[in-house]
Amino acid sequence: MTRTTLTDLDEVQLLDTTLRDGEQMPGVSLTPGEKVDVARELDAAGVHLIEAGSACTSEGEREAIRRVAGEGLDATVTSFARGVKRDVDHALDCGVDGVNLVVPASDKHVETKVGSTRDEVVETTVELVEYAKDHGLWVEVLGEDGSRADLDYLDRLLGAGLDAGADRICYCDTVGAADPERTAAVVSRLAALGPTSLHTHDDLGFGLANVHAGLKAGADTVHGTVLGVGERAGNVALEEVAIALGESYGVDTVELDRLYRLCRTVSEATGVALPPNKAVCGANAFAHESGIHTDGTLKDGTMYEPYPPETVGRERRLVLGKHAGRAGVKAALAEHDVAVDDDELREVVARVKELGERGKRVTDADLLAVADDVRGRERERHVELVDLSATSGGNLPTASVRLRVGDEERVAAGTGAGPVDAGLEAVRAALAGDEGGRGGGDGERGSGSAEREAGSDGVAFDLDSYHVDAITGGTDAVVTVEVDLSRGDRSVSVSASDADITRASVVGMVDGLDRLLAAEADAADAEPGAVADD
């Protein structure tokens, strides 16, 4: 519901700089293929402008930018360029649509960083804008460290850029030092000159607040990165800008229902985990454990959520633990087609709470095991790990597994990016009846998403998420691996602990597959029924 007016605009354009500013985050380095994958998702979500990288960095970076520029995207593809002519030439060589021309604005940058003068910077900026426009480029002029610049000089510098033919100018809070009041004062002055963008960082936690202040002051475009990745505390998160503008102010930006998919793509490419408590994409954003909250949410989805999870391409999730209540446990059992009477439900709830009191995350597999025990049922295994071996000392990590699938034993080997990925490929090959499989995914990352399919015998599955936590210290630490698997419209969460991360990963995945196959078998054999009412 729209509560107030932020801007007179019906739409705010977004410029994504994940592939440039986001890649400046320590430890993040994207291959050309990864840049293309992210750019495609950004374009599919309707992002208006994509800064594909810094063409001045290296030939390898230029090749990556060329590939993005050659994708034929609807978005305007740009390159970062410093205030030197060769950077514009490098951008032209990459075939981009435009340049984000960054010139020093604060005296710290003018005098100390580049050893120049204000007059010289203005003169150079005008020359470069005219040069870029003469070569058919879209041009945005960014005053670096503009939030700490002398406002009269910033007005003069960026105004000269517009007079020389620049398409727009940008307010840059380069070090995240500004507050919303300073942002509003500067942007209101710049917006009077011409089309103005916002580039904010989150060092003081004001990244999104400064975006709102800047839009209210007259800006019409926002720079951001997916997940807020970037140097130091990061950039403003593009997905948070989009959902906040859409839900609170009724302002269109991008296709909101593609935001979660976009976040997962960037997480997988960068290796940056999705924080569980993060807006839009965090695992807990639409998860409910408290009995009171779960009961209310089941009755009315808006009870404890500001917007439906489907808005951003998510689904609601009920989490079980020490705060679980009857309604939540009953709903979780129903998702797996498990019917219990009132007495059985009471006992299942008590055991779930007991597990939660031990500090344990109660996974779907835990819940189903408790329900089987309470109902006095022995579960027949459909898939079981018999043996596993893995090696990673050579150039190509390999693994072999022996699985029991029904009454049959199957042996297969796999290779991958690491021993975990190789182990998962070996399982895929065994389920498919192959003698070996080859990997190539990012199975060694701490969290993210991947897809593995096995097809010849119909045992296909998706590995939706993979997360590792060390639960003891030292070199002999025990790790817990948590995986979410899905098969068709069924999903299951499983955890497994072991001192060997590869074994824990494979055991968790095999146990999850076993649960999914068991649920399918039970559904096929069961008579129509429902979980007992309270």
Side-chain angles (χ1 to χ4, degrees), residues 23 29-30 32 35 53-66 79 82 87 90-91 93-94:
E23 197 182 19
S29 179
L30 301 175
K35 284 203 172 193
S54 302
C56 59
T57 300
S58 67
E59 179 54 36
E61 179 75 347
R62 288 191 283 277
E63 177 57 29
I65 296 172
R66 289 188 195 102
S79 170
R82 298 166 300 175
D87 282 18
H90 281 316
D93 180 58
C94 293

Side-chain angles (χ1 to χ4, degrees), residues 17-24 35 51-54 80 102 199:
T17 183
T18 302
L19 303 182
R20 197 275 300 176
D21 213 349
E23 197 182 19
Q24 292 176 194
K35 284 203 172 193
E51 190 175 34
S54 302
F80 174 94
V102 180
H199 183 104

Side-chain angles (χ1 to χ4, degrees), residues 162-237:
L162 286 170
D163 290 342
D167 295 273
R168 61 174 43 252
I169 55 179
C170 183
Y171 163 78
C172 292
D173 185 20
T174 303
V175 296
D179 54 44
E181 291 74 22
R182 171 65 176 174
T183 298
V186 177
V187 173
S188 61
R189 180 91 168 259
L190 299 181
L193 301 175
T196 302
S197 305
L198 302 164
H199 183 104
T200 67
H201 284 258
D202 209 33
D203 296 78
L204 296 179
F206 277 142
L208 188 56
N210 285 338
V211 164
H212 286 205
L215 290 173
K216 195 168 186 178
D220 61 6
T221 297
V222 177
H223 292 206
T225 62
V226 179
L227 304 181
V229 296
E231 54 197 346
R232 304 184 317 279
N235 297 52
V236 70

Side-chain angles (χ1 to χ4, degrees), residues 147-365:
S147 61
R148 297 191 295 183
D150 175 76
L151 189 48
D152 288 337
Y153 172 63
L154 185 66
D155 184 298
R156 176 189 167 201
L157 172 65
L158 298 184
L162 286 170
D163 290 342
D167 295 273
R168 61 174 43 252
I169 55 179
C170 183
Y171 163 78
C172 292
D173 185 20
T174 303
V175 296
D179 54 44
E181 291 74 22
R182 171 65 176 174
T183 298
V186 177
V187 173
S188 61
R189 180 91 168 259
L190 299 181
L193 301 175
T196 302
S197 305
L198 302 164
H199 183 104
T200 67
H201 284 258
D202 209 33
D203 296 78
L204 296 179
F206 277 142
L208 188 56
N210 285 338
V211 164
H212 286 205
L215 290 173
K216 195 168 186 178
D220 61 6
T221 297
V222 177
H223 292 206
T225 62
V226 179
L227 304 181
V229 296
E231 54 197 346
R232 304 184 317 279
N235 297 52
V236 70
L238 179 144
E239 69 277 5
E240 293 179 5
V241 172
I243 191 63
L245 291 180
E247 287 296 311
S248 294
Y249 304 106
V251 175
D252 292 333
T253 51
V254 296
E255 299 296 329
L256 299 180
D257 61 357
R258 296 194 66 101
L259 288 179
Y260 181 53
R261 178 172 176 172
L262 176 59
C263 289
R264 286 183 57 174
T265 298
V266 170
S267 175
E268 186 174 358
T270 61
V272 176
L274 302 177
N277 60 335
K278 193 179 188 307
V280 178
C281 61
N284 295 340
F286 303 98
H288 305 274
E289 178 183 332
S290 166
I292 295 174
H293 282 206
T294 299
D295 182 60
T297 301
L298 289 169
K299 292 174 179 175
D300 181 349
T302 64
M303 192 75 69
Y304 291 102
E305 293 171 351
Y307 57 89
E310 294 80 11
T311 304
V312 292
R314 299 288 302 277
E315 293 181 354
R316 184 173 297 115
R317 189 165 61 94
L318 301 180
V319 178
L320 300 179
K322 70 177 182 179
H323 303 293
R326 290 170 59 87
V329 172
K330 184 173 69 173
L333 289 170
E335 288 181 357
H336 295 279
D337 299 321
V338 175
V340 292
D341 60 30
D342 285 345
D343 290 338
E344 291 170 338
L345 177 61
R346 189 177 299 109
E347 178 62 19
V348 172
V349 170
R351 295 198 190 185
V352 165
K353 286 179 173 289
E354 181 182 355
L355 286 173
E357 290 285 356
R358 300 178 195 167
K360 178 179 174 60
R361 178 199 174 194
V362 183
T363 66
D364 295 332

